[in-house]
Amino acid sequence: MKRAPFSAERISVAVGLCVLMLAALPRYVAGGHETRQTLIGITLAVVASVVLLQWRLLGVEARQRIPPLLKRLALMMVVGLVAMGLWHALFTTWISWQVFISHAATLGLILHALSLGWTDKRQE
C-alpha cells in the first residue's frame, strides 16, 4: 500500500522539528554563532512553509487528527524535559539552560516520532 506524501502524523513531526529548531536557537545566540542562527532561521521558514502547504492539502478527517497529535507532541516534549532533567541531574555537571532545552526538545521529538511508529504498527 502506497502512503500519501503528507499526513497528520508527518505534520505533527514537522511541527516538532520547528519547536526543536526554536529550542536550539538560544544555544547559538549564547555562543555567538551567527551563521548557524541564520541557517536555522532559513530552515525553520522552509519547514514551516511546508507544514502550511501540507496542512492545506489534507482532507477534513486528517485535519481533525492534528490537535490530538499536537497534544501528544506537547506531552512528549514535557517527558523529554523531565527525562533530560533527571539525566543531567544524575550523570552530568550542570550545563547551560540553552543546551538543556535543546537536549530536552530533541528527546521529546524522538519520543513523539517513535510513539507514532508504535501506534501505526498496532493499528495494522
Side-chain angles (χ1 to χ4, degrees), residues 51-66:
V51 166
L52 288 174
L53 177 66
Q54 286 186 353
W55 179 79
R56 289 187 55 135
L57 295 173
L58 283 181
V60 174
E61 179 184 313
R63 283 186 187 182
Q64 291 173 348
R65 289 196 332 257
I66 292 176

Side-chain angles (χ1 to χ4, degrees), residues 2-46:
K2 186 177 178 183
R3 290 187 160 214
F6 43 87
S7 67
E9 290 77 14
R10 289 182 185 188
I11 288 175
S12 72
V13 171
V15 168
L17 184 59
C18 289
V19 170
L20 175 60
M21 286 186 277
L22 286 172
L25 269 178
R27 183 177 181 177
Y28 298 115
V29 171
H33 303 286
E34 290 83 14
T35 304
R36 290 182 183 169
Q37 293 172 41
T38 303
L39 289 173
I40 288 176
I42 292 168
T43 307
L44 180 60
V46 169

Side-chain angles (χ1 to χ4, degrees), residues 18-112:
C18 289
V19 170
L20 175 60
M21 286 186 277
L22 286 172
L25 269 178
R27 183 177 181 177
Y28 298 115
V29 171
H33 303 286
E34 290 83 14
T35 304
R36 290 182 183 169
Q37 293 172 41
T38 303
L39 289 173
I40 288 176
I42 292 168
T43 307
L44 180 60
V46 169
V47 172
S49 299
V50 170
V51 166
L52 288 174
L53 177 66
Q54 286 186 353
W55 179 79
R56 289 187 55 135
L57 295 173
L58 283 181
V60 174
E61 179 184 313
R63 283 186 187 182
Q64 291 173 348
R65 289 196 332 257
I66 292 176
L69 289 170
L70 293 180
K71 288 179 186 174
R72 180 191 297 189
L73 173 64
L75 175 66
M76 293 301 169
M77 289 290 178
V78 170
V79 169
L81 187 72
V82 170
M84 289 312 296
L86 287 171
W87 176 265
H88 286 295
L90 295 174
F91 299 112
T92 66
T93 58
W94 175 246
I95 55 173
S96 67
W97 66 269
Q98 296 96 340
V99 174
F100 171 69
I101 63 168
S102 176
H103 289 178
T106 302
L107 180 59
L109 181 58
I110 290 170
L111 292 173
H112 177 65

